[in-house]
Each structure stands twice: as C-alpha cells, then as structure tokens.
Amino acid sequence: MNPNDAIAAKVEVERALSTGNHELIARSILFHCWPLFNTDWDLMRAAVSALPRDVIEEHPVLLITDPMSYTSSRIATWSLPAIHPDTARALSPDQLDLLILGHMIAHRMKGNESQALDYARQFAHRIIETRACSRDRTDGPLWFYHLQIGSTFLSAGDTARALLEFSSATQLARLSIQDDAVRLTLSRTALAHAVRGSLDNADSALADAFMQAPPSPAHVRSSTATMVAASALISADRMTDDLDEKISALEPYDSVEVTWPFALLARTRALLAHEHPHEALEALQLASQTHAARPGSFASDVMTSAAVEALTAAEEFGAARKILAQDGAHQGLFTQLTAVRLALHTDDFGSAANGIRILSTDPTLGLGQRVECALLAAWLQCARAGDLDEYTAAKVARWGANPDHRRLFASVPSVLIERVTARVPAQSSESMTANISDLQHVLLRSRPQLTGREKRVLEAITTHGTTAAIARALHVSPNTIKSQLRSLYRKLGCSTRQEAIRIAADLLPSIANPAVPS
C-alpha cells in the first residue's frame, strides 16, 4: 500500500471525525476505503461505529467494517433497494465497484443468497467488461473482489464456481503488496475443496496458507475461521484421532462469519460419525436460533440433511420424511444424498434408485459426493440382490482403502462390507479392512415381512376409522379385516391401531404423516 495514500486517508478521516458531520465522515471513509481497510483497520471501525444506522445502511460497503452489522443483520428489518441506474451513472467506476460489493455482502449477511448471487454475477461480468483504475494496481482491491465473489458462490453451495474465483483471487494476491492476501484466498480455496470431498487438494491449499504471512487485523477473524473450518471438515471425513480437538476449535454456534454453516457441517458430521444423533439435533437447534437458513441456500442444505440423517440414525423415519417433505423442491446436494440413505434404510428401493440416477448425472458433484453416490448405489445393489458384482465390489474395496472416505464407510451397513470382502482378492480386502476395521457400521433394523394385503390394511387404517369402513374400502368382509389386523399387530409388536399407525409412518413411504382416526 502506498504510504502516502495511507497517511492521506488517516488525516482526512480524523479531520472528518472532528467535525461530527455524519455524511462527511461516511464520504471520507468511502473515498479512502481500501487504504483504510488495509492499514488503519481500527480507525476505520471506530469511524464507522460513530455513524448512525441509517447512514451506514445508506452506504452498504460500510457494513463490512461495522461491528454491529452482522448481529443486526439477523434481527433488524432493514432492506436494501436495488441500485438505481441514475445512481450508477453518477458514480465513477471505482465508486460503483464499492457499491456493488457492499450490496453483495449485505445481502449475503442477511441470508438472501439469490440476491447476493445476482450481484456476484453482475460484479464478475463488470470486472471483465469495465475498466477501473484501482483494479490495475498491485495495491488495489481486485484480489479482494474475486475473493468476495467466490465467497458468495461458496455460501450458495456452488463450490465449482467458487474455486474459479478463488483461483483468480490467489493469483492476484500473489502479485499484491498486501502480505496476508494469499493466506485468506488459499484458506477459502481449502474450504471449498473440503466441502467437495477433495481432501488432498484441501490439504495442499491449507498447508500453503499456513506458510503465508499472518493475517492482518482486517482479515484475522475471517482467515482463522476459514482455516479452522476447513481443517475440521478434513478431519471429520477422515475420522482422525484429533477430530474432537478440531471441532472444539470451531467458531461458536452464533458466529457471524460467512463460514458458520461450514463449521456446523463439520460439527454434525463428527457427531453423527460418533453415533450421537441426538447431540447433532441439539447442535442444529442451537444454530437455527441465531441463523435464518433460507430454502435453497447452502446453510439450509446443511441443516436439512443433518436433521434427516440424525433422525434416520435414531430410527425416527417418519419424522425424517416429514422434514424432507417440508423442504420440497429446494433440496440441495447433501439433502438429496441423505434422502437416498433414508430410502435405503426403509427399503424404499424405487425412491433410492431414482435419487441415485439423478445424482449420478449431476455435473457439479465433487469427488467426495461422487464416491458417496456410488457407495449408496452399491448398498442398493446389495439390498436388492443380496450380493455385489465383482466390478462394484472392487470399486468399493478401493474406496475403503482410502482414509479420505472413512466417514462414508461408517455410514453404510456391515453387510455391504461383508459382501465386498467375499468378492475381492485377499490383498484388496486386507487394505480396506486395515483402514476401516475400527469403524462402527450401520446396523439395519430387522423389519417385519408384510404381505401385500397386510400392507393395504396398514395403509387403510390411517384413513378409515372403523373395521367396517376398511372392509368396504377393500371390498372384503369385516372378519377378513379383523384376521389381517391380528396378524399385523403380531408382526409389528403392537396391540392398538394408534401404535400400528405410528409404526406405519416408519415402514411405509406412502404414510409420511398419518392421521389417527378418532
């Protein structure tokens, strides 16, 4: 950063502060935003903190440094109008850059991912199509712009696009004179790779980040939180011995950093891998009290998928289906994978096969998600046929020997591992066993084998209040229904219709939310 720019910025902001004129203070901060951000962070925060909320909200870029902005973004009702064309025309290219940046970050803070993404795409296009003096300088903010655009895509779950932006940010950061720029861009790169399950790439980026200069006051919180979240996700997938230590280092549930949903993902994955589904549900409850996860967002995907997986592990299948039904058409990638897992647990093989078919053609899947999808397909094959073909068994054995997939293998039934072991050569089996022998695999609940008629009766008792009504609906005699009900109760281990209906919500996918007859 040019020392003269930094000195001039400090002098002008201090002069504006002495006048007490809020508009003058705001304009002086905006005019010297970038040098202040990098060399006088404390002065910039103090100046912004002295401004009333309405002035700060009038200039969204100030929200980045306002210590109250992240908290107020969760509880306040303020909203940002779109940038008016007349306003845009009246600004210089550099000023308009800052205005778009401020709107993008402000909408991201509010959880408005769709609007934040609109600004991110607009900003990315603008950087290519429109020149601005500050972007051509090595001490300029162009690396930071790409970082924030990438962070917006990352917050929306688009890790592939985020990595492209982080790559540009890192290349520019290496040319920048800001010492800690590379550390921050690489930490976000590592986080994106960790979410995709590309752990070797995440490891490499994280190791490189640790070698860079320590973070400056402006970046210390975001840089540290990002690196800790990436490290925790890597450990959660590998289920390493230091996983609990990595989880304890994560930011708190009410964190205001952009990385909070990634920290929550690491927490819930660790708890579920250690077979603590109720603790995972508690973690989700704590996070939901301080963060609004809008449908379609990455945060919503994390919360929904973790809740469904926890309820499935607790064998509360009806409640898990209800959450999926509430999510509707907004299911994210993690939720889709968890829905397949739930279908496999409940022997709903048709839904599982359809979900796997859709996921396997998704071009946005990362390495980890592709392995998980293929592993679920192997589970489906084993459940349907009672065995695996040699090709599938060989693939599963190869994945099982990779420490990066230990969490995924802890979430499949032991019968699948047994079938793989029986199908592959001893050497392949030994490599897999050496890697996953300490894992506790899923134990599938013994399920009653109902006849087709018994299933129809079980479905009918949720909508018909009397034996006679069921008999009329199924066109049989009441005595036949009574006989089938006795057989049902015996197989289900219950004695009343209410108990049978509750169990039916778990057994039959078509009865996700049964009504108890009066």
Side-chain angles (χ1 to χ4, degrees):
M1 184 65 59
N2 188 323
N4 293 330
D5 289 346
I7 293 171
K10 182 176 181 179
V11 170
E12 183 166 334
V13 170
E14 288 178 339
R15 184 183 297 120
L17 280 169
S18 68
T19 68
N21 185 314
H22 295 148
E23 283 299 326
L24 182 60
I25 295 171
R27 286 198 300 272
S28 69
I29 297 171
L30 289 171
F31 188 78
H32 298 288
C33 184
W34 187 242
L36 286 170
F37 188 75
N38 286 282
T39 63
D40 272 301
W41 173 254
D42 291 337
L43 174 62
M44 189 176 187
R45 282 174 69 91
V48 172
S49 298
L51 298 174
R53 290 300 309 170
D54 59 336
V55 175
I56 294 174
E57 291 165 14
E58 188 177 337
H59 306 286
V61 75
L62 300 181
L63 294 168
I64 303 172
T65 54
D66 176 29
M68 287 296 294
S69 292
Y70 291 95
T71 300
S72 64
S73 69
R74 295 199 298 254
I75 60 177
T77 57
W78 57 267
S79 59
L80 290 172
I83 299 174
H84 195 278
D86 291 340
T87 301
R89 282 191 291 269
L91 298 175
S92 70
D94 287 326
Q95 290 172 328
L96 186 54
D97 278 356
L98 287 176
L99 184 58
I100 296 173
L101 174 71
H103 274 72
M104 179 180 69
I105 293 176
H107 282 298
R108 197 175 70 205
M109 287 164 51
K110 289 288 288 181
N112 299 332
E113 276 82 5
S114 61
Q115 290 172 294
L117 279 173
D118 287 342
Y119 279 106
R121 296 186 185 100
Q122 177 186 343
F123 203 4
H125 179 74
R126 172 178 170 76
I127 287 173
I128 295 172
E129 297 295 327
T130 306
R131 292 287 300 275
C133 294
S134 66
R135 296 198 229 117
D136 294 332
R137 297 168 50 175
T138 56
D139 62 347
L142 185 56
W143 71 268
F144 187 73
Y145 293 164
H146 280 289
L147 175 76
Q148 293 300 330
I149 293 170
S151 297
T152 301
F153 282 108
L154 183 62
S155 294
D158 189 347
T159 53
R161 179 63 191 272
L163 283 170
L164 288 175
E165 294 295 335
F166 293 152
S167 176
S168 297
T170 300
Q171 292 176 47
L172 291 164
R174 293 191 188 279
L175 302 175
S176 171
I177 64 174
Q178 281 90 45
D179 291 341
D180 62 340
V182 178
R183 186 184 186 93
L184 184 53
T185 60
L186 284 173
S187 66
R188 290 282 161 88
T189 300
L191 183 59
H193 280 306
V195 173
R196 293 175 64 81
S198 301
L199 303 192
D200 288 342
N201 290 332
D203 265 339
S204 177
L206 204 55
D208 196 354
F210 274 114
M211 297 296 292
Q212 305 302 317
S216 64
H219 302 141
V220 63
R221 287 186 61 179
S222 57
S223 178
T224 302
T226 303
M227 295 175 78
V228 169
S231 182
L233 282 171
I234 293 170
S235 292
D237 272 350
R238 291 174 175 162
M239 296 184 66
T240 55
D241 293 337
D242 62 351
L243 176 56
D244 290 342
E245 179 184 341
K246 296 289 182 68
I247 296 299
S248 66
L250 289 167
E251 56 201 289
Y253 288 102
D254 61 349
S255 168
V256 297
E257 292 297 323
V258 70
T259 50
W260 75 263
F262 304 93
L264 180 63
L265 179 63
R267 275 196 177 92
T268 53
R269 281 183 170 179
L271 289 167
L272 291 168
H274 288 318
E275 300 182 346
H276 299 309
H278 295 292
E279 286 86 343
L281 291 171
E282 173 69 9
L284 293 170
Q285 177 64 23
L286 290 171
S288 67
Q289 290 174 353
T290 53
H291 297 284
R294 302 201 177 196
S297 67
F298 177 78
S300 175
D301 190 21
V302 169
M303 288 185 164
T304 301
S305 62
V308 172
E309 190 170 350
L311 290 168
T312 300
E315 296 189 351
E316 299 180 28
F317 303 127
R321 286 200 197 94
K322 186 174 181 180
I323 290 178
L324 285 175
Q326 291 171 343
D327 207 39
H330 297 289
Q331 289 185 1
L333 177 58
F334 294 147
T335 301
Q336 293 176 60
L337 287 163
T338 307
V340 172
R341 195 178 302 279
L342 172 62
L344 288 168
H345 270 277
T346 56
D347 296 345
D348 185 6
F349 299 145
S351 295
N354 187 54
I356 291 169
R357 179 184 58 79
I358 294 171
L359 283 163
S360 62
T361 59
D362 186 344
T364 67
L365 263 61
L367 174 61
Q369 289 99 47
R370 291 191 181 281
V371 171
E372 183 172 1
C373 185
L375 200 56
L376 293 174
W379 180 351
L380 175 62
Q381 182 186 138
C382 184
R384 275 179 161 172
D387 204 350
L388 293 175
D389 61 69
E390 291 184 1
Y391 175 72
T392 300
K395 286 197 302 182
V396 174
R398 187 169 64 253
W399 299 325
N402 188 336
D404 290 355
H405 308 315
R406 278 168 51 80
R407 178 185 63 84
L408 295 179
F409 272 76
S411 66
V412 299
S414 54
V415 64
L416 175 61
I417 307 303
E418 294 168 3
R419 296 294 183 270
V420 172
T421 303
R423 277 284 188 179
V424 300
Q427 184 177 358
S428 299
S429 174
E430 289 169 2
S431 298
M432 178 182 69
T433 303
N435 183 45
I436 66 174
S437 60
D438 61 322
L439 301 182
Q440 296 293 322
H441 299 285
V442 169
L443 294 176
L444 297 180
R445 186 176 69 172
S446 178
R447 304 173 63 77
Q449 299 299 312
L450 304 182
T451 66
R453 291 179 179 178
E454 287 168 342
K455 287 181 180 179
R456 287 195 294 272
V457 171
L458 186 55
E459 291 178 332
I461 64 175
T462 67
T463 54
H464 299 284
T466 65
T467 300
I470 296 172
R472 287 195 298 272
L474 300 182
H475 307 291
V476 296
S477 70
N479 286 335
T480 299
I481 296 300
K482 289 178 182 178
S483 175
Q484 291 174 341
L485 283 173
R486 285 194 295 270
S487 176
L488 262 177
Y489 294 164
R490 183 179 68 255
K491 289 184 177 181
L492 297 179
C494 63
S495 58
T496 67
R497 290 189 183 190
Q498 286 76 9
E499 289 178 304
I501 290 171
R502 178 181 57 78
I503 297 172
D506 287 346
L507 290 179
L508 303 180
S510 59
I511 310 178
N513 190 21
V516 178
S518 57

